[in-house]
Structure formats: structure tokens, C-alpha cells
Amino acid sequence: RQFASFLMERLNISKEQRSEDDDYIVVFSRASNRLILNEAELLLSLAQEFKMRTVTVSLDEQPFDSIVRIISGASMLVSMHGAQLITSLFLPRGAAVIELFPYAVNPEQYTPYKTLASLPGMDLQYVAWRNIIEENSVAYPDRPWDQGGIAHLEKEEQERIITSKDVPRHLCCRNPEWLYRIYQDTIVDIPSFLEVLREGLKVKPNLKKSKPASTVHPGRVR
């Protein structure tokens, strides 16, 4: 949190000014891959479920500082798994991070943002949703290999990847099966998404104005 404050200060970003009753949800929109294909439906369902307004941000269309400013006042951040989720470190205390995973990608194996949210002093709630309906995903086997394409692989390997239901554990970050799956576009199944949120969020996101009660001090290096 000290680092987030330091960065905002250096980038000359003032925290989002919000009134007491202006809770809002931020959804990260992507332009070229890992798309949420029913984004409008997702935004509507979030607004209805939590009685908050929803806004989208996009690294393709907005400068980084304006995105940070918006996130710094949000009650919830929703995004597909990806590097843009590092911006969750700017969320206020009491906010929630909702990470979406494409088909066949196991959230338990990719936990940097879950770890970030659960660090002592962050005071963020974290929920992962995973697409388990194969028909709700669109893959792109003919793209270049670094965008999830698998056309360069042997036919048997291509077929194995396409029929696999779970990306096995692997080393980062050139594994073709991982790339094929992570670059899929996804239709978010709204009923299962809302069910996961209801179960995963212990309390409605409630921004805390107070400082944390305790400070964590590392032990002596031995």
C-alpha cells in the first residue's frame, strides 16, 4: 500500500473523489484477446446484483494514470486473468477483486493476484470464477504461437490440446497448451458467475476509511 501511494504521488494521480453513496464496479475491457464476449450482459448483471453503477476501463483506450485514478475509488474490480490485474494494488481497503479464468485454466495454478489481495494490510476480498462450459469459449488455433496458435505443432499434439479439459502444471510462459487456453475469448455464464460471487464474498464490498489495526514487521534476517 505504501508502494501504491508512492506511485500515485509520483505519477501525480489524485485519488478518485467519491461521495459516500457512490459505490461503483470497474470491469477491465480487453480489445484484442481474452475478450468477455457478453460484456454488456455482465455489466448489467453486476449493476443489478450489487445495486452499484458499473464502468469499464481499457489499457487500449485510456492512459494508465486515468485507469489508476478510477480503480482507486472502486468497490470491485472484475477482469479476465492477465497482467492488467496488477492494478488491483490501487484498490481501496474493503474492495473486492474478481478474477475470471477461461475454459480449462485452473485458478489454483495461477495465483499472483489472489496472493496480492490476501497480503496482510491489503484488506481486499478475492474471488475466482472459472468457465467450465466449453461451448462458451472461442479459441484461435491459427494465430501466431505467442497468441495461442497451435498450427505449428504436430497434428496429434494439436488434437490432444483441443480435447484436453485442464491445462496441466507447466513452467511459465511458453507452454503452447497454456497459451492456447489463456488467449481464448469467453462468454461468462451469468448464473454461475453470480453464484460464485454470492458464495465467495463474505460481506458486500464495503470500503474501509480507517487505517489497518496492525502493522506487519518482518522478523530479523537470520
Side-chain angles (χ1 to χ4, degrees), residues 106-181:
N106 183 350
E108 295 302 313
Q109 293 181 24
Y110 311 96
T111 58
Y113 309 113
K114 179 182 182 180
T115 303
L116 175 65
S118 60
L119 289 174
M122 286 305 289
D123 291 328
L124 297 174
Q125 295 189 76
Y126 173 89
V127 176
W129 174 86
R130 175 184 184 180
N131 176 28
I132 55 170
I133 304 170
E134 193 170 4
E135 299 74 53
N136 283 0
S137 66
V138 180
Y140 298 91
D142 298 322
R143 281 184 177 170
W145 72 268
D146 58 349
Q147 293 169 35
I150 54 172
H152 62 292
L153 301 173
E154 296 286 337
K155 203 83 181 127
E156 293 82 28
E157 181 63 359
Q158 289 185 42
E159 284 168 9
R160 185 196 68 74
I161 288 173
I162 289 167
T163 55
S164 167
K165 297 190 180 336
D166 222 336
V167 177
R169 287 189 179 276
H170 60 91
L171 294 173
C172 187
C173 294
R174 289 167 168 256
N175 179 286
E177 186 167 350
W178 151 253
L179 292 169
Y180 174 73
R181 291 302 186 186

Coordinates of all heavy atoms in Angstrom, one line a residue, residues 106-181:
N106 N -7.0 -23.7 -14.7 CA -7.3 -23.9 -13.2 C -6.8 -22.7 -12.4 O -5.6 -22.5 -12.3 CB -6.6 -25.2 -12.8 CG -7.0 -25.5 -11.4 OD1 -7.5 -24.7 -10.6 ND2 -6.6 -26.7 -10.9
P107 N -7.7 -22.0 -11.7 CA -7.3 -20.8 -10.9 C -6.3 -21.2 -9.9 O -5.5 -20.3 -9.5 CB -8.6 -20.3 -10.3 CG -9.7 -20.9 -11.2 CD -9.2 -22.1 -11.8
E108 N -6.3 -22.4 -9.4 CA -5.4 -22.8 -8.3 C -3.9 -22.8 -8.7 O -3.0 -22.7 -7.9 CB -5.7 -24.2 -7.8 CG -7.1 -24.3 -7.1 CD -7.2 -23.4 -5.9 OE1 -6.3 -23.3 -5.1 OE2 -8.3 -22.7 -5.8
Q109 N -3.7 -22.8 -10.0 CA -2.3 -22.8 -10.5 C -1.8 -21.5 -10.9 O -0.6 -21.3 -11.2 CB -2.3 -23.8 -11.7 CG -2.5 -25.2 -11.4 CD -2.4 -26.1 -12.6 OE1 -1.8 -25.8 -13.6 NE2 -3.1 -27.3 -12.5
Y110 N -2.6 -20.4 -10.9 CA -2.2 -19.1 -11.3 C -2.7 -18.1 -10.3 O -3.8 -17.6 -10.4 CB -2.8 -18.8 -12.7 CG -2.5 -19.9 -13.7 CD1 -3.5 -20.8 -14.0 CD2 -1.3 -20.0 -14.3 CE1 -3.2 -21.9 -14.8 CE2 -1.0 -21.0 -15.2 CZ -2.0 -22.0 -15.4 OH -1.7 -23.0 -16.3
T111 N -1.9 -17.9 -9.2 CA -2.4 -17.2 -8.1 C -1.7 -15.8 -7.7 O -1.7 -15.4 -6.5 CB -2.4 -18.1 -6.8 OG1 -1.0 -18.5 -6.6 CG2 -3.3 -19.3 -7.0
P112 N -1.0 -15.2 -8.6 CA -0.3 -13.9 -8.2 C -1.3 -12.9 -7.7 O -1.0 -12.2 -6.7 CB 0.4 -13.4 -9.5 CG -0.4 -14.1 -10.6 CD -0.8 -15.4 -10.1
Y113 N -2.5 -12.7 -8.2 CA -3.4 -11.7 -7.8 C -4.2 -12.1 -6.6 O -4.5 -11.2 -5.8 CB -4.3 -11.3 -9.0 CG -3.4 -11.0 -10.2 CD1 -3.5 -11.8 -11.3 CD2 -2.5 -9.9 -10.2 CE1 -2.6 -11.5 -12.4 CE2 -1.7 -9.7 -11.2 CZ -1.7 -10.5 -12.4 OH -0.9 -10.3 -13.4
K114 N -4.4 -13.4 -6.4 CA -5.0 -13.9 -5.2 C -4.1 -13.6 -4.0 O -4.5 -13.2 -3.0 CB -5.3 -15.4 -5.3 CG -5.9 -16.0 -4.1 CD -6.1 -17.5 -4.3 CE -6.7 -18.2 -3.0 NZ -6.9 -19.6 -3.2
T115 N -2.8 -13.9 -4.3 CA -1.7 -13.6 -3.3 C -1.7 -12.2 -2.9 O -1.6 -11.8 -1.7 CB -0.4 -14.1 -3.8 OG1 -0.4 -15.5 -4.1 CG2 0.7 -13.9 -2.7
L116 N -1.7 -11.3 -3.9 CA -1.6 -9.9 -3.7 C -2.8 -9.4 -2.8 O -2.6 -8.7 -1.9 CB -1.6 -9.1 -5.0 CG -1.7 -7.6 -5.0 CD1 -0.5 -7.0 -4.3 CD2 -1.9 -7.0 -6.4
A117 N -4.0 -9.9 -3.2 CA -5.2 -9.5 -2.4 C -5.2 -9.9 -1.0 O -5.8 -9.3 -0.1 CB -6.5 -10.0 -3.2
S118 N -4.5 -11.1 -0.7 CA -4.6 -11.6 0.6 C -3.4 -11.2 1.5 O -3.3 -11.7 2.6 CB -4.7 -13.2 0.5 OG -3.5 -13.7 -0.2
L119 N -2.5 -10.4 1.0 CA -1.4 -9.9 1.8 C -1.9 -9.2 3.0 O -2.9 -8.4 2.9 CB -0.4 -9.0 1.0 CG 0.4 -9.6 -0.1 CD1 1.1 -8.5 -0.9 CD2 1.4 -10.6 0.5
P120 N -1.2 -9.4 4.2 CA -1.6 -8.6 5.4 C -1.6 -7.1 5.1 O -0.7 -6.6 4.5 CB -0.6 -9.0 6.4 CG 0.0 -10.3 5.9 CD -0.1 -10.2 4.4
G121 N -2.7 -6.4 5.5 CA -2.8 -5.0 5.3 C -3.4 -4.6 4.0 O -3.8 -3.4 3.8
M122 N -3.6 -5.5 3.0 CA -4.3 -5.1 1.8 C -5.8 -5.0 2.0 O -6.5 -4.2 1.5 CB -4.0 -6.1 0.7 CG -2.7 -6.1 0.1 SD -2.2 -4.4 -0.5 CE -3.2 -4.3 -2.0
D123 N -6.4 -5.9 2.9 CA -7.8 -5.9 3.2 C -8.7 -5.9 2.0 O -9.7 -5.2 1.9 CB -8.2 -4.6 4.0 CG -7.6 -4.6 5.4 OD1 -7.4 -5.7 6.0 OD2 -7.2 -3.6 6.0
L124 N -8.4 -6.8 1.1 CA -9.2 -7.0 -0.1 C -9.8 -8.4 -0.1 O -9.2 -9.3 0.4 CB -8.3 -6.9 -1.4 CG -7.6 -5.5 -1.7 CD1 -6.7 -5.6 -2.9 CD2 -8.7 -4.4 -1.9
Q125 N -11.0 -8.5 -0.6 CA -11.6 -9.8 -0.8 C -11.3 -10.3 -2.2 O -11.1 -9.5 -3.1 CB -13.2 -9.7 -0.7 CG -13.7 -9.3 0.7 CD -15.2 -9.4 0.8 OE1 -15.7 -10.5 0.9 NE2 -15.9 -8.3 0.7
Y126 N -11.1 -11.6 -2.4 CA -10.7 -12.2 -3.7 C -11.6 -13.3 -4.0 O -11.9 -14.2 -3.2 CB -9.3 -12.6 -3.7 CG -8.9 -13.4 -4.9 CD1 -8.4 -12.7 -6.0 CD2 -9.1 -14.8 -5.0 CE1 -8.0 -13.4 -7.2 CE2 -8.7 -15.4 -6.2 CZ -8.2 -14.7 -7.3 OH -7.9 -15.4 -8.4
V127 N -12.1 -13.3 -5.3 CA -12.9 -14.4 -5.8 C -12.5 -14.8 -7.2 O -12.3 -13.9 -8.0 CB -14.5 -14.1 -5.8 CG1 -15.3 -15.2 -6.4 CG2 -14.9 -13.7 -4.4
A128 N -12.3 -16.1 -7.4 CA -12.0 -16.5 -8.8 C -13.2 -17.2 -9.4 O -13.9 -18.0 -8.7 CB -10.8 -17.5 -8.8
W129 N -13.5 -16.9 -10.7 CA -14.6 -17.6 -11.4 C -13.9 -18.3 -12.6 O -13.0 -17.7 -13.3 CB -15.7 -16.6 -11.9 CG -16.7 -17.3 -12.8 CD1 -17.8 -18.0 -12.4 CD2 -16.6 -17.4 -14.2 NE1 -18.5 -18.5 -13.5 CE2 -17.8 -18.1 -14.7 CE3 -15.7 -16.9 -15.2 CZ2 -18.0 -18.4 -16.0 CZ3 -16.0 -17.2 -16.6 CH2 -17.1 -17.9 -16.9
R130 N -14.3 -19.5 -12.9 CA -13.7 -20.3 -14.0 C -14.8 -20.7 -15.0 O -15.8 -21.2 -14.5 CB -13.0 -21.5 -13.4 CG -12.4 -22.4 -14.4 CD -11.9 -23.7 -13.7 NE -11.2 -24.6 -14.6 CZ -10.6 -25.7 -14.2 NH1 -10.6 -26.0 -12.9 NH2 -10.0 -26.5 -15.1
N131 N -14.6 -20.5 -16.2 CA -15.5 -21.0 -17.2 C -15.4 -22.5 -17.3 O -14.3 -23.0 -17.7 CB -15.2 -20.4 -18.6 CG -16.1 -20.9 -19.7 OD1 -17.2 -21.4 -19.4 ND2 -15.6 -20.9 -20.9
I132 N -16.5 -23.3 -17.1 CA -16.4 -24.7 -17.2 C -17.3 -25.2 -18.4 O -17.4 -26.4 -18.5 CB -16.9 -25.4 -15.9 CG1 -18.3 -24.9 -15.5 CG2 -15.9 -25.1 -14.8 CD1 -18.9 -25.7 -14.3
I133 N -17.8 -24.3 -19.2 CA -18.6 -24.7 -20.3 C -17.8 -24.5 -21.6 O -17.6 -23.3 -22.0 CB -19.9 -23.9 -20.3 CG1 -20.7 -24.0 -19.0 CG2 -20.8 -24.3 -21.5 CD1 -21.8 -23.1 -18.8
E134 N -17.4 -25.6 -22.2 CA -16.6 -25.5 -23.4 C -17.2 -24.7 -24.5 O -16.5 -23.9 -25.2 CB -16.2 -26.9 -23.9 CG -15.1 -26.9 -24.9 CD -14.6 -28.3 -25.2 OE1 -15.1 -29.3 -24.7 OE2 -13.6 -28.4 -25.9
E135 N -18.5 -24.8 -24.7 CA -19.2 -24.1 -25.8 C -19.1 -22.6 -25.6 O -19.4 -21.8 -26.5 CB -20.7 -24.5 -25.9 CG -20.9 -26.0 -26.2 CD -20.6 -26.9 -25.0 OE1 -21.2 -26.7 -23.9 OE2 -19.8 -27.8 -25.2
N136 N -18.8 -22.1 -24.3 CA -18.8 -20.7 -24.0 C -17.4 -20.1 -24.2 O -17.1 -19.0 -23.8 CB -19.2 -20.4 -22.6 CG -20.7 -20.5 -22.5 OD1 -21.4 -20.8 -23.4 ND2 -21.2 -20.3 -21.3
S137 N -16.5 -20.9 -24.9 CA -15.2 -20.4 -25.2 C -14.9 -20.4 -26.7 O -15.4 -21.3 -27.4 CB -14.1 -21.1 -24.4 OG -14.1 -22.5 -24.9
V138 N -14.1 -19.4 -27.1 CA -13.7 -19.4 -28.5 C -12.2 -19.3 -28.6 O -11.5 -18.4 -28.0 CB -14.2 -18.1 -29.2 CG1 -13.8 -18.1 -30.7 CG2 -15.8 -18.1 -29.1
A139 N -11.6 -20.4 -29.2 CA -10.1 -20.4 -29.3 C -9.6 -20.1 -30.7 O -10.4 -20.1 -31.6 CB -9.6 -21.8 -28.9
Y140 N -8.3 -19.8 -30.8 CA -7.8 -19.3 -32.1 C -6.6 -20.1 -32.5 O -5.4 -19.6 -32.4 CB -7.5 -17.8 -32.0 CG -8.8 -17.0 -31.8 CD1 -9.2 -16.7 -30.5 CD2 -9.6 -16.6 -32.8 CE1 -10.3 -16.0 -30.2 CE2 -10.8 -15.9 -32.6 CZ -11.1 -15.6 -31.3 OH -12.3 -14.9 -31.1
P141 N -6.7 -21.4 -32.9 CA -5.6 -22.2 -33.2 C -4.7 -21.7 -34.3 O -3.5 -22.1 -34.4 CB -6.2 -23.6 -33.6 CG -7.7 -23.3 -33.9 CD -8.0 -22.1 -33.1
D142 N -5.2 -20.9 -35.2 CA -4.4 -20.4 -36.3 C -3.7 -19.1 -36.1 O -3.0 -18.6 -37.0 CB -5.4 -20.2 -37.6 CG -6.0 -21.6 -38.0 OD1 -5.3 -22.6 -37.9 OD2 -7.2 -21.6 -38.3
R143 N -3.8 -18.6 -34.9 CA -3.0 -17.3 -34.6 C -1.5 -17.7 -34.4 O -1.2 -18.9 -34.3 CB -3.5 -16.7 -33.3 CG -4.8 -15.9 -33.5 CD -5.2 -15.3 -32.2 NE -6.4 -14.4 -32.4 CZ -7.1 -13.9 -31.4 NH1 -6.7 -14.1 -30.1 NH2 -8.2 -13.2 -31.6
P144 N -0.6 -16.7 -34.4 CA 0.8 -16.9 -34.1 C 0.9 -17.7 -32.8 O 0.1 -17.5 -31.9 CB 1.4 -15.5 -34.0 CG 0.5 -14.7 -34.8 CD -0.9 -15.2 -34.6
W145 N 2.0 -18.4 -32.6 CA 2.2 -19.3 -31.4 C 2.1 -18.4 -30.1 O 1.6 -18.9 -29.1 CB 3.5 -20.0 -31.4 CG 4.7 -19.2 -31.2 CD1 5.4 -18.6 -32.2 CD2 5.3 -18.8 -29.9 NE1 6.4 -17.8 -31.6 CE2 6.4 -18.0 -30.2 CE3 5.0 -19.1 -28.6 CZ2 7.2 -17.4 -29.2 CZ3 5.8 -18.5 -27.6 CH2 6.9 -17.7 -27.9
D146 N 2.6 -17.2 -30.1 CA 2.7 -16.4 -28.9 C 1.3 -15.7 -28.6 O 1.2 -15.0 -27.6 CB 3.8 -15.4 -28.9 CG 3.6 -14.4 -30.1 OD1 2.8 -14.7 -31.0 OD2 4.4 -13.4 -30.1
Q147 N 0.3 -16.0 -29.4 CA -1.0 -15.5 -29.2 C -2.0 -16.7 -29.1 O -3.2 -16.6 -29.3 CB -1.5 -14.6 -30.3 CG -0.7 -13.2 -30.3 CD -1.0 -12.4 -31.5 OE1 -2.1 -12.4 -32.0 NE2 0.0 -11.7 -32.0
G148 N -1.5 -17.9 -28.8 CA -2.3 -19.0 -28.5 C -2.5 -19.9 -29.7 O -3.2 -20.9 -29.6
G149 N -1.8 -19.7 -30.8 CA -1.9 -20.5 -32.0 C -1.2 -21.8 -31.8 O -0.1 -21.9 -31.1
I150 N -1.7 -22.9 -32.4 CA -1.1 -24.2 -32.2 C -0.8 -24.9 -33.6 O -0.5 -26.1 -33.7 CB -1.9 -25.2 -31.3 CG1 -3.4 -25.3 -31.8 CG2 -1.9 -24.7 -29.9 CD1 -4.2 -26.3 -31.1
A151 N -1.0 -24.1 -34.7 CA -0.9 -24.7 -36.0 C 0.5 -25.2 -36.3 O 0.8 -26.1 -37.2 CB -1.3 -23.7 -37.1
H152 N 1.5 -24.7 -35.5 CA 2.9 -25.1 -35.8 C 3.2 -26.5 -35.1 O 4.3 -27.1 -35.4 CB 3.9 -24.1 -35.2 CG 3.7 -23.9 -33.7 ND1 2.6 -23.4 -33.1 CD2 4.5 -24.2 -32.6 CE1 2.7 -23.4 -31.8 NE2 3.9 -23.9 -31.5
L153 N 2.3 -27.0 -34.3 CA 2.6 -28.3 -33.6 C 2.2 -29.5 -34.5 O 1.4 -29.4 -35.4 CB 1.8 -28.3 -32.3 CG 2.1 -27.2 -31.3 CD1 1.1 -27.3 -30.1 CD2 3.5 -27.3 -30.8
E154 N 2.7 -30.7 -34.1 CA 2.3 -31.9 -34.7 C 0.8 -32.1 -34.6 O 0.2 -31.7 -33.6 CB 3.0 -33.1 -34.1 CG 4.5 -33.1 -34.2 CD 4.9 -33.5 -35.6 OE1 4.2 -34.1 -36.4 OE2 6.0 -33.1 -36.0
K155 N 0.2 -32.8 -35.6 CA -1.3 -33.0 -35.6 C -1.8 -33.6 -34.3 O -2.8 -33.2 -33.8 CB -1.7 -33.8 -36.8 CG -3.1 -33.6 -37.3 CD -3.3 -32.4 -38.2 CE -4.7 -32.2 -38.6 NZ -5.2 -30.9 -38.3
E156 N -1.1 -34.7 -33.8 CA -1.6 -35.4 -32.6 C -1.5 -34.4 -31.4 O -2.5 -34.5 -30.6 CB -0.7 -36.6 -32.3 CG -0.7 -37.7 -33.3 CD 0.1 -37.5 -34.6 OE1 1.2 -36.8 -34.4 OE2 -0.2 -38.0 -35.6
E157 N -0.5 -33.6 -31.3 CA -0.4 -32.7 -30.2 C -1.5 -31.6 -30.3 O -2.1 -31.3 -29.2 CB 1.0 -32.0 -30.2 CG 1.3 -31.1 -29.1 CD 1.2 -31.7 -27.7 OE1 1.0 -32.9 -27.5 OE2 1.4 -30.9 -26.7
Q158 N -1.8 -31.2 -31.5 CA -2.9 -30.2 -31.6 C -4.2 -30.8 -31.1 O -5.0 -30.2 -30.4 CB -3.1 -29.8 -33.1 CG -2.0 -28.9 -33.6 CD -2.3 -28.5 -35.1 OE1 -3.4 -28.1 -35.4 NE2 -1.3 -28.5 -35.9
E159 N -4.5 -32.0 -31.5 CA -5.7 -32.7 -31.2 C -5.8 -33.0 -29.6 O -6.8 -32.8 -29.0 CB -5.8 -34.1 -31.9 CG -6.3 -33.8 -33.4 CD -6.1 -35.1 -34.2 OE1 -5.9 -36.2 -33.6 OE2 -6.3 -35.0 -35.4
R160 N -4.6 -33.3 -29.1 CA -4.6 -33.5 -27.6 C -4.9 -32.3 -26.9 O -5.7 -32.3 -25.9 CB -3.2 -34.0 -27.2 CG -3.1 -34.4 -25.7 CD -1.7 -34.5 -25.2 NE -1.0 -33.2 -25.2 CZ -1.2 -32.3 -24.3 NH1 -2.1 -32.4 -23.3 NH2 -0.5 -31.1 -24.3
I161 N -4.4 -31.1 -27.3 CA -4.6 -29.9 -26.7 C -6.1 -29.5 -26.8 O -6.7 -29.0 -25.8 CB -3.7 -28.8 -27.2 CG1 -2.2 -29.0 -26.8 CG2 -4.1 -27.4 -26.9 CD1 -1.2 -28.1 -27.4
I162 N -6.6 -29.6 -28.0 CA -8.0 -29.2 -28.2 C -9.0 -30.0 -27.4 O -10.0 -29.5 -26.9 CB -8.3 -29.3 -29.7 CG1 -7.6 -28.2 -30.5 CG2 -9.8 -29.2 -30.0 CD1 -7.6 -28.4 -32.0
T163 N -8.7 -31.3 -27.1 CA -9.6 -32.2 -26.4 C -9.4 -32.1 -24.9 O -10.2 -32.6 -24.1 CB -9.6 -33.6 -26.9 OG1 -8.2 -34.1 -26.8 CG2 -10.0 -33.7 -28.3
S164 N -8.2 -31.6 -24.5 CA -7.9 -31.5 -23.0 C -8.9 -30.6 -22.3 O -9.3 -29.6 -22.8 CB -6.5 -31.0 -22.9 OG -6.2 -30.7 -21.5
K165 N -9.2 -31.0 -21.1 CA -10.1 -30.2 -20.3 C -9.4 -29.4 -19.1 O -10.1 -28.7 -18.4 CB -11.2 -31.1 -19.7 CG -12.1 -31.8 -20.8 CD -13.3 -32.5 -20.2 CE -14.2 -33.1 -21.3 NZ -14.1 -32.7 -22.6
D166 N -8.1 -29.6 -19.0 CA -7.4 -29.0 -17.9 C -5.9 -28.8 -18.4 O -5.3 -29.8 -18.7 CB -7.5 -29.8 -16.7 CG -7.7 -29.0 -15.4 OD1 -7.4 -27.8 -15.5 OD2 -8.2 -29.5 -14.4
V167 N -5.5 -27.6 -18.3 CA -4.0 -27.3 -18.7 C -3.2 -27.9 -17.5 O -3.4 -27.5 -16.4 CB -3.7 -25.8 -18.8 CG1 -2.2 -25.6 -19.1 CG2 -4.6 -25.2 -19.9
P168 N -2.3 -28.9 -17.8 CA -1.5 -29.5 -16.7 C -0.5 -28.4 -16.2 O -0.2 -27.4 -16.9 CB -0.8 -30.6 -17.4 CG -0.9 -30.4 -18.8 CD -2.0 -29.5 -19.1
R169 N 0.0 -28.7 -15.0 CA 1.0 -27.8 -14.5 C 2.2 -27.7 -15.4 O 2.6 -28.6 -16.1 CB 1.6 -28.3 -13.1 CG 0.5 -28.1 -12.0 CD 1.2 -28.4 -10.6 NE 0.2 -28.2 -9.6 CZ -0.1 -27.1 -9.0 NH1 0.6 -26.0 -9.4 NH2 -1.0 -26.9 -8.1
H170 N 2.8 -26.5 -15.5 CA 3.8 -26.2 -16.5 C 4.7 -25.1 -16.0 O 4.3 -24.3 -15.2 CB 3.2 -25.9 -17.9 CG 2.3 -24.7 -17.8 ND1 2.8 -23.4 -18.0 CD2 1.0 -24.5 -17.5 CE1 1.8 -22.5 -17.9 NE2 0.7 -23.1 -17.5
L171 N 5.8 -24.9 -16.7 CA 6.7 -23.8 -16.4 C 6.2 -22.6 -17.2 O 5.7 -22.8 -18.3 CB 8.1 -24.1 -16.8 CG 8.8 -25.2 -15.9 CD1 10.2 -25.6 -16.5 CD2 9.0 -24.8 -14.5
C172 N 6.3 -21.4 -16.7 CA 6.0 -20.2 -17.4 C 7.0 -20.0 -18.5 O 8.2 -20.3 -18.2 CB 6.0 -19.0 -16.4 SG 5.4 -17.5 -17.1
C173 N 6.7 -19.5 -19.6 CA 5.4 -19.0 -20.0 C 5.2 -19.3 -21.5 O 4.4 -18.6 -22.2 CB 5.4 -17.4 -19.8 SG 5.4 -16.9 -18.1
R174 N 5.9 -20.3 -22.0 CA 5.8 -20.6 -23.5 C 5.1 -21.9 -23.7 O 5.1 -22.3 -24.9 CB 7.2 -20.6 -24.1 CG 7.9 -19.3 -24.2 CD 9.4 -19.4 -24.5 NE 9.9 -18.1 -24.9 CZ 10.2 -17.8 -26.1 NH1 10.0 -18.6 -27.1 NH2 10.7 -16.6 -26.4
N175 N 4.5 -22.4 -22.7 CA 3.8 -23.7 -22.9 C 2.6 -23.5 -23.9 O 1.7 -22.7 -23.7 CB 3.2 -24.2 -21.6 CG 2.5 -25.5 -21.7 OD1 1.4 -25.5 -22.1 ND2 3.1 -26.5 -21.2
P176 N 2.6 -24.2 -25.0 CA 1.6 -24.0 -26.1 C 0.2 -24.3 -25.6 O -0.8 -23.6 -26.0 CB 2.0 -24.9 -27.2 CG 3.0 -25.9 -26.7 CD 3.6 -25.2 -25.5
E177 N 0.0 -25.2 -24.7 CA -1.4 -25.5 -24.3 C -1.9 -24.4 -23.4 O -3.1 -24.0 -23.5 CB -1.4 -26.8 -23.5 CG -2.8 -27.3 -23.1 CD -2.9 -28.7 -22.6 OE1 -1.9 -29.4 -22.7 OE2 -3.9 -29.1 -22.0
W178 N -1.0 -23.9 -22.5 CA -1.4 -22.7 -21.7 C -1.7 -21.5 -22.6 O -2.8 -20.9 -22.3 CB -0.2 -22.4 -20.7 CG -0.1 -21.0 -20.3 CD1 0.9 -20.1 -20.8 CD2 -0.9 -20.3 -19.4 NE1 0.7 -18.9 -20.2 CE2 -0.4 -18.9 -19.4 CE3 -2.0 -20.6 -18.7 CZ2 -1.0 -17.9 -18.5 CZ3 -2.6 -19.6 -17.9 CH2 -2.1 -18.3 -17.8
L179 N -0.9 -21.2 -23.5 CA -1.1 -20.1 -24.4 C -2.4 -20.2 -25.2 O -3.2 -19.3 -25.3 CB 0.0 -19.9 -25.4 CG 1.4 -19.4 -24.7 CD1 2.5 -19.5 -25.7 CD2 1.2 -18.0 -24.2
Y180 N -2.7 -21.4 -25.7 CA -3.9 -21.7 -26.5 C -5.1 -21.4 -25.6 O -6.1 -20.8 -26.1 CB -3.9 -23.2 -26.9 CG -5.2 -23.7 -27.6 CD1 -5.5 -23.3 -28.9 CD2 -6.0 -24.5 -26.9 CE1 -6.6 -23.7 -29.5 CE2 -7.2 -25.0 -27.5 CZ -7.5 -24.6 -28.8 OH -8.6 -25.0 -29.4
R181 N -5.1 -21.9 -24.4 CA -6.3 -21.7 -23.5 C -6.4 -20.3 -22.9 O -7.5 -19.7 -22.9 CB -6.2 -22.7 -22.3 CG -6.4 -24.1 -22.7 CD -7.7 -24.3 -23.4 NE -8.0 -25.8 -23.7 CZ -9.1 -26.2 -24.4 NH1 -9.9 -25.3 -24.9 NH2 -9.2 -27.5 -24.6

